[in-house]
């Protein structure tokens, strides 16, 4: 494994649609910054177990913000990751102690919502039900919806990735896949209720 | 079918902020008047949440696998270090740059460090009260225009009536911007007393700058070292200043 990656190199690896490259960057970030996060969270009285959870959740937020171009290259990855981790940890404390806190300069607009949502998802343990949901819509739809809604990939890139003949074809297919997914969600009232709750509490 | 697909396009455009003002108003009206349309929109948002959760879980599993791989070789708790050859290269470059350092150091005074590093902390919102012309709003407007003379007197006024950490913090920054360093130090020191305060880390940083401005370099250095050690707010700048002082 390469010994040093610049911020820009890490961003390129994560923005790539190659999962191995993504994981290479994640591994590098893990090796490089886990100790820093551990130090910060311990300062606030957190134990190692909670640091693992906080670090992983924060890494997901960082990854998603890089993928969706919300994270800008001029910011330091480390500073941002530490801010998210600290916020994340304190929000866990808040649940327990009604902890009061306000401004975290480095956070991006949706971060607080995502952090809350992530904690909620863990608690409700609905991963299996959701996985099942996506086996029903097929692999192409699953990929297409991931690229567009999760990674915010532009249609032109999706066309290349999934070999569509035109942007219009990709758009129509995407709408069809979404319709299919909505129909399946509608047949599962329990899951629908959970999803609604996650959205409301986030 | 066509209509349903069209609705999906509209939902997407609405959530992405791509509708015009009129289209947006129409959309809002439709959601309030047509329960079916509203329900369809809610389910659409649920589906997006499901997409996010699914992909996030895939990612989480990858990250957990990475964590266990790193744990196996015991790398994780150690901060990542650059290879020793890089360290030696850095030392050599450092040695080569020493003469240049002294050339530049003679041209700059330590208090320039304050001017180079002071920038007002970002104000979160521009409208705080219901009344547009409330003193707090006047303070915020002056602060955002970097008119620190006015901002400091407005914030002082607000703080006297309502002692919140937030007002105290922005008062301190305004005082610093207005070169009232001693007064800023008094306020910042109070903010630094509460380690769990909202602006604790930021206050440490601005207090260190205030000490630099008043040429109390020993105190500044102590704080800067603390900031670096704890990876606190602006620790990278603190690191840089420590090298310059």
């Amino acid at each position: 494994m390469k010994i040093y990656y610049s911020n820009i190199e890490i961003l390129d690896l994560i923005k790539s649609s190659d999962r191995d490259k993504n994981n290479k960057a994640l591994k590098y970030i893990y090796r490089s910054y886990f100790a820093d996060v551990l130090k910060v969270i311990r300062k606030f009285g957190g134990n190692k177990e909670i640091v693992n959870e906080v670090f992983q959740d924060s890494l997901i937020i960082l990854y998603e913000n890089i993928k969706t171009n919300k994270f800008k290259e001029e910011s330091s990855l480390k500073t941002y990751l530490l801010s998210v981790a600290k916020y994340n940890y304190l929000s866990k404390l808040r649940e327990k102690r009604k902890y009061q806190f306000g401004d975290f300069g480095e956070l991006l607009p949706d971060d607080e919502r995502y952090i809350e949502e992530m904690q909620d998802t863990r608690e409700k343990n609905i991963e299996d039900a959701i996985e099942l949901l996506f086996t029903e819509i097929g692999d192409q739809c699953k990929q297409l919806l991931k690229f567009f809604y999760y990674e915010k990939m532009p249609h032109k890139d999706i066309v290349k990735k999934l070999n569509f003949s035109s942007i219009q074809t990709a758009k129509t297919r995407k709408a069809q896949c979404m319709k299919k997914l909505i129909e399946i969600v509608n047949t599962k009232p329990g899951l629908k209720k959970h999803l609604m709750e996650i959205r409301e509490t986030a | 079918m066509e209509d349903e697909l069209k609705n999906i396009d509209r939902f997407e455009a609405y959530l992405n902020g791509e509708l015009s003002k009129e289209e947006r108003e129409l959309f809002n009206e439709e959601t309030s008047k047509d329960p079916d349309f509203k329900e369809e929109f809610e389910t659409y948002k649920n589906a997006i949440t499901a997409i996010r959760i699914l992909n996030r879980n895939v990612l989480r599993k990858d990250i957990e696998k990475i964590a266990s791989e790193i744990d196996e070789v015991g790398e994780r708790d150690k901060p990542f270090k650059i290879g020793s050859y890089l360290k030696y290269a850095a030392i050599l470059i450092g040695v080569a740059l020493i003469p240049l350092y002294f050339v530049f150091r003679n041209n700059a005074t330590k208090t320039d460090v304050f001017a180079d590093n002071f920038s007002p902390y970002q104000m979160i919102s521009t409208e705080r009260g219901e009344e547009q012309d409330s003193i707090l709003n006047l303070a915020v407007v002056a602060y955002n225009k970097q008119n620190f003379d006015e901002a400091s007197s407005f914030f002082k006024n607000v703080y006297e009536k309502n002692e919140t950490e937030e007002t105290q913090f922005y008062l301190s920054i305004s005082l610093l911007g207005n070169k009232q360093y001693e007064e800023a130090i008094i306020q910042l020191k109070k903010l630094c007393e509460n380690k769990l305060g909202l602006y604790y880390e930021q206050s440490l940083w601005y207090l260190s700058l205030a000490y630099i401005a008043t040429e109390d370099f020993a105190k500044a250095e102590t704080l800067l070292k603390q900031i670096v050690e704890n990876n606190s707010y602006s620790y990278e700048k603190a690191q840089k200043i420590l090298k310059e002082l």
Side-chain angles (χ1 to χ4, degrees), chain A residues 111-127:
Chain A
D111 287 353
E112 294 180 20
R113 186 164 68 85
Y114 286 168
I115 287 168
E116 308 268 343
E117 182 180 287
M118 201 132 42
Q119 287 163 1
D120 219 46
T121 315
R122 272 183 186 277
E123 283 163 21
K124 290 193 171 65
N125 199 19
I126 56 165
E127 288 97 335

Side-chain angles (χ1 to χ4, degrees), chain B residues 36-137:
Chain B
D36 289 342
F37 183 77
K38 191 184 175 198
E39 171 68 18
E40 208 184 321
F41 184 43
E42 290 303 317
T43 318
Y44 172 83
K45 287 191 279 184
N46 284 343
I48 291 179
T49 304
I51 294 168
R52 186 159 59 231
I53 292 171
L54 175 86
N55 288 292
R56 194 172 271 171
N57 288 336
V58 171
L59 178 61
R60 190 191 303 281
K61 280 175 192 158
D62 280 352
I63 291 175
E64 280 166 0
K65 195 168 158 241
I66 287 168
S68 61
E69 281 169 13
I70 292 176
D71 258 352
E72 274 171 29
V73 287
E75 290 177 275
R76 194 176 51 176
D77 290 352
K78 287 179 281 182
F80 180 65
K81 303 281 186 205
I82 56 171
S84 54
Y85 64 96
L86 280 178
K87 237 186 275 176
Y88 292 128
I91 291 166
L92 285 174
I93 292 167
V95 170
L97 289 175
I98 284 172
L100 277 177
Y101 167 75
F102 282 106
V103 170
F104 285 115
R105 192 181 166 92
N106 288 338
N107 291 336
T109 66
K110 284 178 178 178
T111 42
D112 286 340
V113 175
F114 174 81
D116 290 345
N117 287 282
F118 174 74
S119 63
Y121 193 75
Q122 194 187 335
M123 182 67 78
I124 306 303
S125 163
T126 50
E127 288 176 21
R128 298 300 174 97
E130 285 180 5
E131 295 170 40
Q132 285 297 309
D133 58 350
S134 72
I135 297 176
L136 183 55
N137 277 324

